[in-house]
Amino acid sequence: MRLDRLLSLLALGTRSQAREIVKGGRIAVNGQTERNVDRRLNKGDQIVLDGQPLDARTVRHVMLYKPCGVLTAAMDKKQKTVLDLLPPVYKACGCMPVGRLDKDTEGLLLLSTDGEMAHRLLSPKRHVQKCYRAEVDGPLNDADIAAFRQGLALSDFTAQPAKLEILSSCAEKAVALVWVGEGKYHQVRRMFAARGRTVKALKRLSIGPLALDESLHPGEYRELEPQKLQMLLSAVSGEENP
Ligand code: URA
């Protein structure tokens, strides 16, 4: 990769601003000042800006605790998006949300520069299970568990069989965990609606083997550790199922 491109991927400015940084002698590569903007970099090159080592990673995977009230989008003219919750380097290097959560859903959102992994995680044919905690406005019972297990008929499609586990239930409200292997628009809310319940609060707890880090607060993020990333990649390796 060329030096000016790398600097712009690291959110240090537009391509032309990056070129000015280089021409100004502010960059050193492997200990030597480098003023050539066309310089091609090799893996492992040490890059220093104004005497400070640069974190030159352009491949990023982030776990975000998406709060309610924020859009799952890369940008929006009016509303705050999940990319606005991260430092600019993530947007600059092309980190994108993997799937989406509704504006009023909170919980685990993965953002990644790896489009292929994202595609695999989202494919309904891979049945990667996403677990949600839902609070609904009335009781749930065994008939609901059976209906989820069978596959609920919604207006435009029949949902794949899903597991429902009731954590508590009384006349006014119930709390349940639900696992779904696909991610259609408003899917979980629509599945409960098909059973006559309105979802009052929805939180995603996990995607496949990756659980929301309990130490994160809404709006906080962290980079995925290599072993967590490896777990995710293993979960989506191999052929798709019908
Ligand atoms: N299902 C929904 O209804 N909403 C979400 O945000 C995620 C799954």
Side-chain angles (χ1 to χ4, degrees):
M1 186 184 306
R2 282 166 50 132
L3 185 51
D4 57 348
R5 172 159 161 73
L6 176 72
L7 297 184
S8 60
L9 286 178
L10 298 178
L12 292 169
T14 60
R15 201 72 174 256
S16 62
Q17 287 166 334
R19 293 166 84 89
E20 289 313 308
I21 291 176
V22 180
K23 286 184 194 157
R26 296 171 57 195
I27 294 286
V29 179
N30 301 330
Q32 298 283 317
T33 301
E34 179 59 75
R35 292 175 195 271
N36 174 12
V37 291
D38 300 329
R39 162 82 184 250
R40 291 206 166 261
L41 297 165
N42 295 314
K43 215 170 171 212
D45 281 346
Q46 300 297 312
I47 301 152
V48 166
L49 167 66
D50 297 333
Q52 297 296 319
L54 268 189
D55 179 351
R57 285 173 302 153
T58 54
V59 174
R60 303 272 188 156
H61 311 281
V62 169
M63 169 189 289
L64 171 72
Y65 186 157
K66 177 197 171 296
C68 289
V70 175
L71 284 189
T72 306
M75 59 183 292
D76 190 87
K77 286 205 179 92
K78 295 199 180 115
Q79 301 187 61
K80 193 167 180 171
T81 74
V82 289
L83 261 307
D84 296 327
L85 299 172
L86 304 179
V89 65
Y90 292 97
K91 193 185 263 183
C93 70
C95 216
M96 296 292 287
V98 178
R100 63 184 298 282
L101 291 177
D102 299 337
K103 187 176 173 187
D104 50 357
T105 300
E106 63 172 348
L108 173 60
L109 186 71
L110 193 62
L111 296 103
S112 176
T113 50
D114 184 344
E116 172 63 23
M117 180 181 75
H119 178 74
R120 286 167 169 257
L121 279 170
L122 296 173
S123 164
K125 293 195 177 149
R126 286 187 191 272
H127 308 282
V128 176
Q129 298 294 307
K130 291 111 193 158
C131 176
Y132 297 85
R133 180 184 185 278
E135 289 181 27
V136 301
D137 65 344
L140 294 170
N141 57 32
D142 287 349
D144 298 305
I145 294 177
F148 273 61
R149 193 190 305 126
Q150 200 173 345
L152 286 161
L154 304 179
S155 58
D156 50 345
F157 76 106
T158 299
Q160 289 174 0
K163 182 177 165 195
L164 178 69
E165 182 182 326
I166 302 168
L167 298 179
S168 65
S169 178
C170 63
E172 304 80 43
K173 83 173 218 179
V175 180
L177 299 179
V178 53
W179 285 261
V180 292
E182 54 193 344
K184 299 254 171 45
Y185 184 63
H186 283 174
Q187 176 148 354
V188 172
R189 291 173 203 277
R190 291 176 63 197
M191 286 164 76
F192 280 107
R195 298 296 304 164
R197 295 284 165 260
T198 300
V199 171
K200 294 296 183 189
L202 190 60
K203 176 176 180 180
R204 183 155 65 193
L205 304 177
S206 63
I207 301 173
L210 185 71
L212 179 63
D213 186 333
E214 285 178 7
S215 68
L216 289 178
H217 296 106
E220 291 182 346
Y221 74 96
R222 65 171 179 70
E223 296 258 347
L224 278 197
E225 302 100 322
Q227 72 270 26
K228 294 264 168 70
L229 177 63
Q230 205 44 57
M231 258 170 31
L232 262 189
L233 289 169
S234 310
V236 294
S237 66
E239 297 301 309
E240 293 188 339
N241 300 309

